[in-house]
């Protein structure tokens, strides 16, 4: 079993309140869940209205499948015009990791 985690730090465009932030981030989170069947949540920067940290987690039997899913999730977020992807960090844990 392999577990992959992806942290996407994004800057939101023309957002001036936390309510507007939710209206931008919520559809992105829902699309990631729907398209890739991954676990995803806004995992940080909740008090900042122009920043969001989106966390994605994947479990699969094959490490390459985990990498492919995380790559696809990162591409989807990077391709959204209302967001600017500032950084992406990933971790992969496998059977040999403690």
């Amino acid at each position: 079993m392999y577990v992959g985690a992806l942290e996407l730090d994004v800057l939101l465009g023309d957002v001036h309140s936390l309510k507007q932030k939710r209206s931008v981030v919520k559809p992105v989170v829902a699309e990631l869940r729907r398209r890739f069947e991954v676990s995803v949540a806004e995992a940080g920067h909740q008090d900042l209205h122009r920043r969001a940290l989106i966390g994605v987690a994947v479990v699969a039997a094959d490490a390459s499948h985990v990498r492919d899913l995380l790559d696809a999730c990162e591409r989807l977020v990077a391709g959204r015009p209302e967001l600017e992807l500032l950084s992406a960090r990933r971790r992969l844990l496998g059977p040999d990791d403690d």
Side-chain angles (χ1 to χ4, degrees), residues 63-96:
S64 65
H65 185 62
V66 171
R67 283 189 206 95
D68 291 345
L69 279 171
L70 295 179
D71 288 344
C73 290
E74 184 176 342
R75 277 193 306 274
L76 183 140
V77 171
R80 297 292 292 246
E82 69 274 21
L83 306 174
E84 179 185 343
L85 182 59
L86 299 175
S87 68
R89 290 182 26 186
R90 59 177 66 205
R91 295 182 190 107
L92 180 66
L93 299 172
D96 297 331

Side-chain angles (χ1 to χ4, degrees), residues 12 17-18 21 42 44-52:
L12 308 176
S17 70
L18 293 176
K21 175 184 178 178
E42 184 180 354
H45 305 309
Q46 279 96 352
D47 56 339
L48 302 176
H49 67 274
R50 291 206 58 224
R51 294 278 298 275

Side-chain angles (χ1 to χ4, degrees), residues 4-20:
L6 177 65
E7 289 180 348
L8 301 166
D9 189 5
V10 296
L11 179 66
L12 308 176
D14 190 29
V15 173
H16 302 287
S17 70
L18 293 176
K19 186 175 181 179
Q20 285 180 320

Side-chain angles (χ1 to χ4, degrees), residues 6 8 10 12 21-44 46 52-57 73 76-77 80 82-83:
L6 177 65
L8 301 166
V10 296
L12 308 176
K21 175 184 178 178
R22 277 193 310 276
S23 71
V24 173
V25 173
K26 193 174 179 180
V28 174
V29 168
E31 185 175 1
L32 287 167
R33 270 192 200 121
R34 188 184 78 253
R35 284 184 66 182
F36 303 114
E37 295 182 0
V38 295
S39 295
V40 58
E42 184 180 354
Q46 279 96 352
L53 185 68
I54 299 172
V56 179
C73 290
L76 183 140
V77 171
R80 297 292 292 246
E82 69 274 21
L83 306 174

